Amino acid sequence: FSRRRQNRRRRRRRTNEKNAKTTTTLISNDAKENDNDDNDNNNNNRRKEPDAIVSVKLDQDGQRDYPIYIGSELVKERGDLLRKHIKGETVLIVTNETVAPLYLEKVKESLLLSSSSKSLRIESVVLPDGEEHKNLDVLDLIFEKALDARLDRKTTFIALGGGVIGDMTGFAASAYQRGVNFIQIPTTVMAMVDSSVGGKTGVNHKKGKNMIGAFYQPQCVFVDIDSLDSLPEREYNSGIAEVIKYGLIRDAKFFDWIEQNADKLQKKAIDRKSLVYAIQRSCENKAEVVELDEKESGLNVRATLNLGHTFGHAIETGVGYGEYLHGEAVSIGTAMAADLSFRLGWIDENLQTRTVDLLKRFDLPIEVPRGSMTKEKFMDLMAVDKKASQGKMNFILLKGDLGGCVFTGDFDQTKLRETLESFVDGRISR
């Protein structure tokens, strides 16, 4: 009897020890799960957040609104943000020969590493680089790739590059199977602050710039300022021309800020905090205008964003696409618009001088190259500008205090001829 009782006690002890080990194992597993949760939470806490997010508001119900994410290391660390705006499981990345070796694989890797991208299929097409390739023939390469890859209507096109790539990808997205989603990942200042925002897409024609296109809004704009590290200084400065534009036409305080912080915005000595602010404020200005006048209706609000563009587009077309960067042509056009505004008595000499001097601080051209254009050539090309109406050329000109402008064709045309003659002959009034 005593031996049986001892045996029972031994069995109970072994059972208790076994249960104790099992409980310890379960606690350990729970602890590991909790540790993993904590690690996930810590990773989320450490996750790189955008330095700024600008919202583009298009509808009262918000259905077509989209964010502009601005910051550094976004491509590297925030593929999940991109993935959130991809509706289906297929992507076509459109880029060019310059950008592809630098960023194409990084974008692919970022998308595939995001937790919800396990089944994402990524195709890509690499186009030739340059404004001279922004035409229907090169656009067709995007359609050929999409069709060869049998991409369906749930595909998202991603524009990875500067303004040319963004415009062409957006136009292709608007037309492919009558419209697929697209995302902008701009890699130039010009694209970050202007062309990637607002939904203008299209290609050039030999008779005019951006004459074939559509208004088509992206799902989001993903601005990673790290991509500017590889941008040549000339292209960087070209984009600053559009930054300066916002201050001239509607944001006097921003213009003052650019003047005061121009040294911090120089490519050779960029202050990244200042750069983020310059991009953010530019995008906010652009978004506010697009919200008021998305498709350049009779309000002519959005048309004011084209300060310097009537002259600039004529230069680009007349000299030849690719000879001037877009921002360089706009810089010359802005100087011409300021000159005409001054001749009309609409601005004082101080504002004209400040405009030209700020452009020069970024090594931007302010003169028409000798022998490249004539007054007649300017007039012919400006007559087919998109802003022309009923045979009348319209311009965005500065008027009043800094930050004021008008969209008009009603002014003394002799002053226009004086401006053209002055710039063509190299006799600029400053």
Side-chain angles (χ1 to χ4, degrees), residues 54-56 197 282-292:
V54 177
S55 295
V56 181
V197 180
S282 297
C283 289
E284 287 170 346
N285 274 294
K286 180 73 176 279
E288 289 168 8
V289 171
V290 171
E291 180 180 353
L292 292 170

Side-chain angles (χ1 to χ4, degrees), residues 23-300:
T23 302
T24 301
T25 301
L26 289 174
I27 290 173
S28 178
N29 284 337
D30 288 341
K32 287 181 179 177
E33 290 176 4
N34 289 333
D35 285 344
N36 287 337
D37 289 342
D38 289 341
N39 287 336
D40 287 341
N41 290 331
N42 289 335
N43 287 336
N44 287 335
N45 290 335
R46 291 194 300 268
R47 180 179 288 169
K48 180 69 177 179
E49 294 299 328
D51 294 307
I53 301 176
V54 177
S55 295
V56 181
K57 300 183 182 300
L58 300 170
D59 300 314
Q60 289 185 347
D61 60 9
Q63 291 296 311
R64 296 190 303 128
D65 296 357
Y66 58 90
I68 305 168
Y69 302 108
I70 306 167
S72 59
E73 298 185 334
L74 296 184
V75 167
K76 178 182 177 182
E77 297 190 12
R78 296 309 307 270
D80 61 301
L81 278 180
L82 274 179
R83 185 63 179 94
K84 184 172 72 172
H85 297 281
I86 296 172
K87 308 302 182 185
E89 299 298 329
T90 55
V91 164
L92 175 62
I93 300 177
V94 183
T95 187
N96 64 37
E97 297 166 336
T98 302
V99 175
L102 298 171
Y103 302 113
L104 178 56
E105 292 305 317
K106 292 179 181 179
V107 173
K108 287 182 179 180
E109 182 180 4
S110 183
L111 281 171
L112 292 173
L113 287 177
S114 61
S115 60
S116 60
S117 300
K118 305 301 182 185
S119 61
L120 192 65
R121 173 188 165 206
I122 302 176
E123 300 286 346
S124 62
V125 57
V126 179
L127 306 181
D129 187 15
E131 185 79 27
E132 63 271 27
H133 301 295
K134 187 181 175 183
N135 55 54
L136 289 170
D137 289 337
V138 176
L139 181 74
D140 192 51
L141 298 177
I142 302 175
F143 295 130
E144 285 195 10
K145 177 64 181 182
L147 291 167
D148 288 344
R150 298 184 179 181
L151 301 181
D152 60 26
R153 298 184 72 179
K154 294 183 179 180
T155 297
T156 296
F157 286 11
I158 295 180
L160 176 62
V164 171
I165 287 295
D167 284 5
M168 294 181 72
T169 304
F171 188 31
S174 75
Y176 185 68
Q177 298 197 14
R178 296 190 176 90
V180 296
N181 290 334
F182 91 106
I183 289 171
Q184 293 267 19
I185 307 181
T187 60
T188 66
V189 178
M190 173 68 66
M192 291 176 182
V193 304
D194 185 59
S195 61
S196 69
V197 180
K200 278 190 176 182
T201 72
V203 295
N204 300 330
H205 189 275
K206 62 183 179 181
K207 293 188 177 181
K209 183 177 170 66
N210 292 331
M211 297 302 292
I212 304 169
F215 287 97
Y216 198 67
Q217 302 290 347
Q219 299 299 303
C220 75
V221 181
F222 204 68
V223 177
D224 189 333
I225 65 171
D226 292 345
S227 64
L228 299 180
D229 292 343
S230 60
L231 190 69
E233 185 175 11
R234 181 188 173 195
E235 289 194 44
Y236 175 91
N237 289 340
S238 172
I240 296 295
E242 295 284 0
V243 177
I244 293 170
K245 170 194 73 179
Y246 292 113
L248 286 169
I249 64 171
R250 68 189 317 270
D251 195 342
K253 289 183 179 179
F254 187 40
F255 188 90
D256 292 339
W257 181 89
I258 300 168
E259 284 184 318
Q260 296 163 10
N261 292 274
D263 290 343
K264 295 180 180 180
L265 295 175
Q266 299 295 327
K267 179 68 167 68
K268 294 177 181 177
I270 294 177
D271 176 73
R272 297 181 93 77
K273 185 177 180 180
S274 298
L275 178 62
V276 167
Y277 176 73
I279 295 171
Q280 176 187 350
R281 191 67 196 121
S282 297
C283 289
E284 287 170 346
N285 274 294
K286 180 73 176 279
E288 289 168 8
V289 171
V290 171
E291 180 180 353
L292 292 170
D293 184 14
E294 181 185 356
K295 297 184 178 180
E296 291 190 3
S297 65
L299 298 173
N300 292 326

Side-chain angles (χ1 to χ4, degrees), residues 288-328:
E288 289 168 8
V289 171
V290 171
E291 180 180 353
L292 292 170
D293 184 14
E294 181 185 356
K295 297 184 178 180
E296 291 190 3
S297 65
L299 298 173
N300 292 326
V301 176
R302 184 162 183 172
T304 61
L305 293 172
N306 290 302
L307 174 69
H309 285 59
T310 302
F311 294 115
H313 286 172
I315 293 170
E316 286 184 271
T317 305
V319 175
Y321 297 129
E323 290 296 319
Y324 275 98
L325 297 175
H326 176 63
E328 293 174 331

